[in-house]
């Protein structure tokens, strides 16, 4: 008989999961007694965990192992019948999504704070994905939050920690625990979608690449796929071992944080292709020799070339992008006569469209792209998609992008982040902007005429659920756009994101530096929002 303890606890009232689950400073999870337990018990109560099969894994950051041991003991005490857990507790976010779907489980628990730094001083997070493989909808996360406000006890099995280093099956009481290979199912899925032989031929032809796993979860996936299966030389994957503090790196693949990769790709002897993923493996960054692929362009290029890929050769149901993502994808959809959906920021809105077979591909400006193969964005999938396109076209990354602009026009695009500003100042800025919106229509700023200005809201075409206050957008007559929104994923103060876009159909004018091309629009954004005055900042902390 399993020795189950019913432990008294008290609610914390701050456990509201955001779009990416519950995310807090690691110290909050580690040092607040029962912080994790309260959330997990609330989750188990809401999903009625008894008799269920769940997937469990995380990105290997500090507290991953401890959290997994606790969750296993609580799962056993709550009557969960089976848990599939990644070896050593490791599973990337897209891998969890795949395993949930492939084995038709009742959902899964992902331990990660995505691209946020890890370690004792970093961030930690926990997220629940539903049986479709995607992040839980708001009804579920709200129910969990309500439960955390009332919790008085949690259940945990009084058993020693278990060994997760071997691929084996054992029991905790009546619950069976299968320790599964973190990588195998994911690799099989990638093989179904992409032409591994064609990519291997490309790599044999003298084409060179580098992949930076930023000491996070994708290391083992990338070594298996790029080096072992596709034949890239050993050492192609750098920072390949997942470390609890990511070796001090900020595992966010962008121009600021993936610095070593960017320097390498802009060096004289740069390889032909460079890529990276984030902490939990759902984001991607792609570069060519001395050339950065903007993520908004990337999703448009994947859509335009989908017919070259085995997994998509029968066509696409449709495509989608988050509202702040550039309209480059719309240009492709127009030419290919595909429906294009504009959704609020966050992956769950895409999942609903995918479940209804309304879209196949989707992406966000924030280094996320994906398809209906899972219900999360997928970093390595995006990178393989690029490699497969290059294997067919045998062009450089920059040629592929420039040819794309030539055909569809270029959407100059940049995102300016003001990170960790005072929350009150950020709120005030958004409030002020909202107030002046009605007066903006028809106004001319520096030769840009406002065509409309509003706050974005969205009604899911499938569930009819309405989502409001999704950012302020100012649209100009020439197709330019300015978007303002507050980040929902930060853990300190507030982060203001300003997205700036300008469409340039003329090939002769497509080779400007994007900050230069967007200069006037950037100053309009700063003036209109008074962001620098209100937040006491001279400029953004991150420019993409
Ligand atoms: C950020 C990105 C958003 C992405 C989310 C989760 O959210 O901007 O596109 O879906 O991370 O990866 P934000 O901090 O802007 O709310
Ligand atoms: Zn992530």
């Amino acid at each position: 008989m399993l020795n189950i303890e019913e432990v008294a606890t008290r609610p914390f009232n701050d456990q509201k999961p955001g779009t990416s689950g519950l995310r807090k400073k690691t110290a909050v999870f580690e040092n607040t007694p029962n912080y994790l337990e309260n959330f997990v018990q609330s989750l188990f109560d809401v999903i009625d965990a008894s008799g269920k099969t769940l997937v469990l894994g995380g990105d290997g950051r500090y507290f991953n192992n401890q959290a997994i041991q606790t969750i296993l003991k609580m799962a056993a005490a709550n009557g969960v019948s089976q848990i599939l857990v990644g070896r050593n507790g490791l599973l990337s976010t897209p891998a969890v999504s795949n395993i949930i779907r492939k084995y038709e489980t009742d959902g899964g628990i992902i331990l990660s704070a995505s691209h946020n730094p890890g370690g004792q001083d970093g961030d930690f997070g926990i997220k629940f994905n539903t049986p479709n493989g995607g992040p839980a909808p708001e009804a579920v996360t709200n129910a969990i939050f309500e439960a955390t406000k009332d919790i008085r006890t949690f259940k945990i099995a009084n058993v020693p920690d278990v060994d997760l280093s071997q691929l084996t099956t054992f029991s905790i009481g009546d619950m069976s625990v299968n320790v599964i290979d973190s990588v195998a199912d994911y690799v099989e899925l990638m093989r179904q979608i992409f032409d591994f032989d064609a990519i291997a031929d490309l790599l044999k032809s003298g084409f060179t690449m580098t992949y930076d796993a930023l000491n996070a979860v994708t290391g083992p996936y990338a070594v298996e796929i790029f080096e072992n299966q596709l034949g890239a030389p050993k050492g192609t994957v750098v920072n390949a071992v997942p470390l609890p503090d990511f070796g001090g790196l900020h595992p966010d693949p962008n121009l600021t944080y993936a610095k070593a990769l960017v320097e390498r790709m802009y060096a004289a002897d740069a390889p032909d292709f460079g890529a990276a993923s984030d902490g939990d493996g759902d984001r991607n960054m792609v570069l060519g020799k001395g050339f950065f692929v903007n993520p908004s362009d990337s999703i448009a290029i994947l859509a335009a070339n989908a017919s070259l890929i085995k997994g998509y050769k029968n066509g696409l149901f449709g495509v989608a992008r988050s509202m702040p993502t550039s309209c480059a994808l719309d240009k492709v959809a127009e030419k290919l006569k595909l429906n294009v959906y504009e959704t609020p920021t966050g992956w769950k809105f895409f999942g609903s469209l995918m479940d209804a077979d309304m879209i196949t591909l989707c992406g966000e400006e924030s280094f996320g792209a994906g398809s209906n193969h899972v219900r999360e964005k997928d970093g390595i999938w995006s990178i393989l998609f690029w490699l497969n396109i290059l294997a067919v076209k045998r062009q450089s990354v920059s040629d592929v992008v420039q040819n794309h602009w030539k055909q569809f026009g270029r959407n100059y695009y940049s995102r300016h982040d003001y990170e960790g500003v005072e929350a009150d100042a950020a709120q005030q800025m958004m409030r002020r902007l909202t107030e002046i919106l009605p007066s903006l229509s028809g106004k001319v700023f520096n030769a840009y005429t406002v065509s409309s200005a509003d706050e974005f809201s969205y009604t899911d075409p499938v569930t009819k659920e309405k989502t409001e206050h999704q950012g302020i957008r100012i649209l100009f007559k020439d197709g330019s756009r300015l978007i303002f929104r507050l980040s929902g994923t930060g853990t300190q103060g507030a982060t203001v994101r300003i997205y700036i876009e300008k469409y340039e159909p003329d090939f002769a004018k497509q080779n400007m530096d994007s900050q230069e091309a967007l200069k006037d629009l950037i100053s309009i954004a700063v003036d209109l929002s008074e962001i620098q005055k209100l937040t006491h900042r001279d400029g953004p902390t991150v420019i993409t």
Side-chain angles (χ1 to χ4, degrees), residues 99-214:
I99 294 164
I100 292 172
R101 295 168 63 78
K102 181 170 174 181
Y103 298 105
E104 299 184 357
T105 74
D106 301 297
I109 297 172
I110 302 175
L111 303 169
S112 171
S114 187
H115 50 284
N116 292 9
Q120 223 163 348
D121 303 325
D123 293 346
F124 189 78
I126 176 167
K127 168 167 120 166
F128 178 67
N129 282 26
T130 45
N132 76 341
E138 217 153 297
V140 176
T141 53
N142 281 344
I144 297 170
F145 179 48
E146 290 307 316
T148 62
K149 292 198 261 182
D150 286 336
I151 191 163
R152 290 290 178 271
T153 60
F154 64 87
K155 282 195 219 125
I156 188 160
N158 196 352
V159 290
D161 284 358
V162 292
D163 175 16
L164 298 175
S165 68
Q166 308 301 321
L167 300 178
T168 172
T169 300
F170 56 86
S171 306
I172 304 177
D174 290 336
M175 179 178 85
S176 92
V177 178
N178 300 28
V179 183
I180 59 172
D181 189 298
S182 311
V183 174
D185 291 305
Y186 182 79
V187 175
E188 188 190 306
L189 178 65
M190 291 302 108
R191 275 191 171 278
Q192 287 163 12
I193 301 173
F194 300 110
D195 184 345
F196 272 42
D197 293 337
I199 302 173
D201 284 345
L202 174 73
L203 288 163
K204 270 193 224 113
S205 72
F207 176 94
T208 52
M209 69 171 278
T210 180
Y211 176 87
D212 195 340
L214 298 167

Side-chain angles (χ1 to χ4, degrees), residues 114-115 278 280-283 377:
S114 187
H115 50 284
D278 71 331
D280 63 330
D282 56 358
R283 293 185 173 197
K377 54 188 170 250

Side-chain angles (χ1 to χ4, degrees), residues 461-481:
V462 184
T463 64
K464 308 291 175 217
E465 200 182 318
K466 192 161 185 192
T467 310
E468 290 177 299
H469 311 298
Q470 291 303 305
I472 285 169
R473 39 177 200 183
I474 303 176
L475 313 182
F476 297 89
K477 287 225 165 97
D478 69 340
S480 296
R481 303 193 309 161

